[in-house]
Structures are given as structure tokens and as C-alpha cells.
Amino acid sequence: MSKAIEAFVFDAYGTLFDVNSVVRKAEALFEGKGPALSETWRLKQLEYSWLRTLMGRYEDFASVTSDALDWSLESLGLQADAHTLRSLLDEYRRLAPFPEVPPSLAELSGSLELAILSNGHPDMLRAVVEHNDLARYFRGGLLSVHAVRGYKPDPRVYRLAEERLGRDRRRVGFVSSNGWDAAGAKAFGFRTYWVNRTGAPVERLGVRPDETVADLTELTRLVA
Amino acid sequence: MSKAIEAFVFDAYGTLFDVNSVVRKAEALFEGKGPALSETWRLKQLEYSWLRTLMGRYEDFASVTSDALDWSLESLGLQADAHTLRSLLDEYRRLAPFPEVPPSLAELSGSLELAILSNGHPDMLRAVVEHNDLARYFRGGLLSVHAVRGYKPDPRVYRLAEERLGRDRRRVGFVSSNGWDAAGAKAFGFRTYWVNRTGAPVERLGVRPDETVADLTELTRLVA
């Protein structure tokens, strides 16, 4: 079936880019609290993206990320001045890719159109892609949910990718390490590849990813 | 301003009913893992309710709760037979109210119309209310999101309560211990009372509750 795939659409945070550098920065600033802060922050960031979409009160991902950091710091009893806040938020513009990502993108982009579909504000997304010199692999573009003013897994987001690529959704492979994002993409109708880097249980959301891979190397082998 | 309130609508789980009995049951079944299981379970239950609403794939709260338990057990490396699963799920039908809840409802119901608006399936909701002999206080009814096939904080849910009560939303007080639920109700236009039992930080969702109280005794004093 994978023979029919014409393009791959990738999630960004956690799928291409390793959010672990946020943990390190948080630990450097708040010794002993780095893992707790970054985990709480990430969970709250997703929660707020879902809640704001449900409430019909979209704000861009930079704002949501900042709001989530603010809540997380207070919940852990931590205080941060404007400079510290900025340095934590800026980490999202400098995340490193997982090691296998650049060679996998190089290989896949030879025969397939690649794109990113991310919750990130267009500025955040462009910054992290250019910081890592990966823009040339994404002929399909860097697509942000900002265009539809709602977050994943709202079907309007996945439809945006289908429309921008101009391809039948059944010919598009959607790649995400977030199980709920893979579920949303599968419910929409993309062929989905769940990158399960941590051995997490599959999400019980009524749909299953078409394929589960451990990383992008395995994805590349699967479609070769 | 509270003089204008004609009716109170209460969230159920966490607001009227203490989910701590789930912790105790989980601990009795899985020694040392009770708090982790019940915390993971509750978070996943909410996540799935939000995600399914965003995906347009509503399933009732009994199913979502069961799916969340299934995921949580696997994530903690725990196994449970059908009998154990059933006994955990049945806890939601037998939750105890917080101690101040019955006298507060008795007092408030003397002069105001009270109702419940809950994510719970109508059967789950009726079971826990009748188990605690509280039905007589809710002349406004036990309202379930099941009627609109979407979960809080989708505005359709709050609109359901407005319509069923037949009152202007500005005359309705909405009471929830869940900060995000209070935010959803406030965004909709109810006058909102956040029951912050644990001293949690206020949610950064662009709206603030009108009042914050520590429990229902404080709410009763506030509107007396």
C-alpha cells in the first residue's frame, strides 16, 4: 500500500525536533526542577491548544506556549524574570533534530514531496527549520495551523495540508510521534505513521495508525 | 452582582463528588500504584474527552473512561482482568460528595434553582446522585453533555444548560473545581465560580472566573 504514497507530511515538535534541549535549559535555570518543569510545560501547552480550540478562542502557539510556561512555573513555585522567560521560550526556535532526521529527510525527499504541518506559529516553525538548515527538504512547504486558527486534531488542520499539497488524502503519509496527532490524521483519512520513540501504549481513540515505527530510519526503510 | 443569580449549575466530578475513592480502590487493587494510576487515568480521561470532541468522534463518557483506564494500566505495566476493570469503573457510580456539599446544596436549593451539567453519561450521573440521595436538590435537572455529543468546554455544552434552564446566561452561576471548565463557562457567558480546593494556579485561557472560593461553604456564604 505504501507504493501509493506521493507525499509525506511531518509533525514538527517531538517528531522531527527533540524537545529535550528544553529540559536541559530548564535544569540549568532551575536546578533539580528541569524535568518536572519541562514535562508540566509540554502537557499544559497541549492542553491549552485543545481547550482554546474547543472554546473557539484561538491564540497563536507562541502565546499558548508562554501561557503554559507561566502556569507551570507558578504550579511548581518557581519565579522567573523576563530574561529567563525569554530564554526558555527561545529554546523552541533552536531545538535540535533527532540524529536520524536529516539523513532520513535527505533520502525521502529524493522521490517524495515532503512538508511540515505544525501547531507552531509560522515564525517559530521557520526559525527552527532554518536554524537546522532543513528548509530545502520541504518542497511541500512549512504549514502552520495558524492559517485555520485552530489546533490539531481539529480536522480543519489536516484538511489544510491536503489542500495545500493538492493531493488526495489517501496518497498522503502523515508522520507524528504524538499518538493523538496520528489518531487525528488517521480519522481525517491520511495514511498514518506513528513514530513511537518511547514505547508508549497506543492511544485509545477509536482509530489506529496504519504503521508504527521506532524512528525515521525505520520509516525510510518501510517506504523504500 | 450575585443578587442577579437565579440558578446554579454545578459540575459533578471533582466539584460535588470526591474522586479520591478511586485512588483508594486503585491502591487496594495495585499496592503502591494507586495514586499514579488514578492520576494518569483522570488526565487521560479528560484528554480523550477533549480530543474526541475536536476529532468529531464522540463516544459516551463511560467508554472514554474505560478507554482511559485501559491506556493507563498499560502505561504503568499493570494488568487487570474483567472483574477488576469493572470494579474500578463502578467507583464512578459510587463517589462520595465532599463533606460540605449536602448541607450547601440544601441551603442553596431553598432560594435558587440548582442543576448539574456533567461530562458523565446520563446513567453514570443518575447513579452517583441517587447513591448519595441528592436528587431532590436538583430541580433544574441532571444535564449530560451526551445530548449534544461533545464534551466541555465546547460552547454547545454550556448552551444546553442555558436552554434547559430557560434563563439568560448572565443570570446563571456556573460552579466548577476544574479551572478549564470554569474558563469555558465564563467564555460562554455564565457567571462563574471556581472552587479551588487545592490552591491551584488559575488557568491562563484568556478569561478569569468571576469568583474563586475554597469550597461550597464559601460559595453559600458569598450568595447569602
Side-chain angles (χ1 to χ4, degrees), chain B residues 139-176:
Chain B
R139 287 195 308 273
L142 309 180
L143 312 178
S144 164
V145 305
H146 194 60
V148 298
R149 298 184 67 79
Y151 290 101
K152 299 174 181 180
D154 186 320
R156 290 176 303 151
V157 171
Y158 304 109
R159 188 169 301 119
L160 171 75
E162 184 186 44
E163 287 171 1
R164 291 287 178 86
L165 293 173
R167 297 182 189 277
D168 185 309
R169 61 187 76 177
R170 291 166 300 182
R171 300 299 174 93
V172 174
F174 186 88
V175 185
S176 181

Side-chain angles (χ1 to χ4, degrees), chain B residues 154-222:
Chain B
D154 186 320
R156 290 176 303 151
V157 171
Y158 304 109
R159 188 169 301 119
L160 171 75
E162 184 186 44
E163 287 171 1
R164 291 287 178 86
L165 293 173
R167 297 182 189 277
D168 185 309
R169 61 187 76 177
R170 291 166 300 182
R171 300 299 174 93
V172 174
F174 186 88
V175 185
S176 181
S177 65
N178 294 295
W180 56 269
D181 184 21
K186 176 66 185 171
F188 174 72
F190 285 141
R191 181 161 177 84
T192 59
Y193 299 78
W194 179 36
V195 184
N196 186 6
R197 297 182 185 277
T198 61
V202 70
E203 299 292 355
R204 274 66 164 179
L205 286 165
V207 287
R208 296 258 167 167
D210 294 291
E211 304 282 354
T212 301
V213 295
D215 57 25
L216 263 60
T217 304
E218 201 180 321
L219 174 74
T220 304
R221 273 203 301 266
L222 200 65

Side-chain angles (χ1 to χ4, degrees), chain A residues 16-190:
Chain A
L16 299 176
F17 303 107
D18 186 356
V19 295
N20 256 311
S21 64
V22 177
V23 183
R24 287 190 296 274
K25 171 62 89 175
E27 182 64 24
L29 292 165
F30 303 103
E31 201 183 322
K33 298 288 183 83
L37 176 58
S38 61
E39 189 185 348
T40 304
W41 185 11
R42 172 65 173 161
L43 274 174
K44 210 70 192 172
Q45 180 195 48
L46 292 176
E47 260 191 44
Y48 284 177
S49 73
W50 301 328
L51 291 166
R52 280 191 171 275
T53 305
L54 286 169
M55 291 164 67
R57 297 244 170 170
Y58 178 83
E59 289 287 335
D60 75 54
F61 206 56
S63 301
V64 164
T65 302
S66 175
D67 287 344
L69 176 58
D70 202 37
W71 189 94
S72 303
L73 287 165
E74 187 182 337
S75 79
L76 293 167
L78 303 173
Q79 298 200 317
D81 58 22
H83 176 76
T84 303
L85 289 174
R86 177 49 49 204
S87 73
L88 277 165
L89 291 167
D90 278 350
E91 282 300 305
Y92 270 87
R93 307 172 76 91
R94 288 191 294 260
L95 297 172
F98 290 96
E100 89 283 6
V101 164
S104 299
L105 294 175
E107 186 168 341
L108 290 167
S109 66
S111 53
L112 297 161
E113 186 177 42
L114 309 186
I116 290 179
L117 178 67
S118 170
N119 275 344
H121 184 277
D123 289 346
M124 291 172 72
L125 193 55
R126 196 179 317 113
V128 71
V129 169
E130 291 182 355
H131 177 75
N132 291 293
D133 196 23
L134 298 173
R136 62 198 139 133
Y137 298 129
F138 298 106
R139 288 196 307 273
L142 309 180
L143 312 179
S144 165
V145 306
H146 195 61
V148 299
R149 298 184 67 79
Y151 290 102
K152 301 175 181 179
D154 188 320
R156 290 177 301 150
V157 172
Y158 305 109
R159 189 170 301 118
L160 171 77
E162 184 187 46
E163 287 171 2
R164 292 287 178 85
L165 292 173
R167 298 182 190 276
D168 185 310
R169 62 187 75 177
R170 291 165 300 181
R171 301 300 174 91
V172 174
F174 186 87
V175 185
S176 182
S177 65
N178 294 296
W180 55 270
D181 184 21
K186 176 66 186 172
F188 175 71
F190 285 142

